[in-house]
């Protein structure tokens, strides 16, 4: 899902997924930066499939995308721990 707000490095935008460790009250958004400028053609909250390479710059991890396409929300939009 395209995140509306997140702290990401300059020249990146963020995608997010909701992580539920035990119950919905404890849900947290997990963000990962994607290399590239903000995607004006996508709206915040829109589900995206990002294909590319996971890169590391020191302690920072980001996706270097090869393709980004809109997708439907999965039947289960949460990641459970």
């Amino acid at each position: 899902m395209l995140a509306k707000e997140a702290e990401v490095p300059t020249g990146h935008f963020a995608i997010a997924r909701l992580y539920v460790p035990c119950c919905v009250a404890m849900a947290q958004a997990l963000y990962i930066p994607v290399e590239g400028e903000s995607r004006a053609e996508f709206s915040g909250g829109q589900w995206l499939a990002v294909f590319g390479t996971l890169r590391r710059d020191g302690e920072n991890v980001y996706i270097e995308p090869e393709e980004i396409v809109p997708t439907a929300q999965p039947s289960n939009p949460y990641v459970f721990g």
Side-chain angles (χ1 to χ4, degrees), residues 2-76:
L2 182 64
K4 286 185 178 180
E5 298 178 19
E7 292 184 24
V8 296
T10 302
H12 293 72
F13 63 95
I15 56 173
R17 191 81 185 252
L18 289 176
Y19 169 68
V20 181
C22 61
C23 61
V24 175
M26 301 294 290
Q28 302 172 32
L30 300 178
Y31 297 96
I32 186 162
V34 178
E35 187 177 59
E37 295 302 318
S38 179
R39 300 291 181 162
E41 67 268 28
F42 303 123
S43 60
Q46 181 177 13
W47 286 88
L48 303 172
V50 179
F51 302 93
T53 305
L54 194 60
R55 299 282 186 201
R56 187 172 176 178
D57 180 15
E59 293 183 7
N60 300 314
V61 175
Y62 65 93
I63 298 173
E64 182 181 311
E66 294 173 14
E67 182 180 16
I68 302 172
V69 293
T71 188
Q73 177 176 315
S75 60
N76 184 356

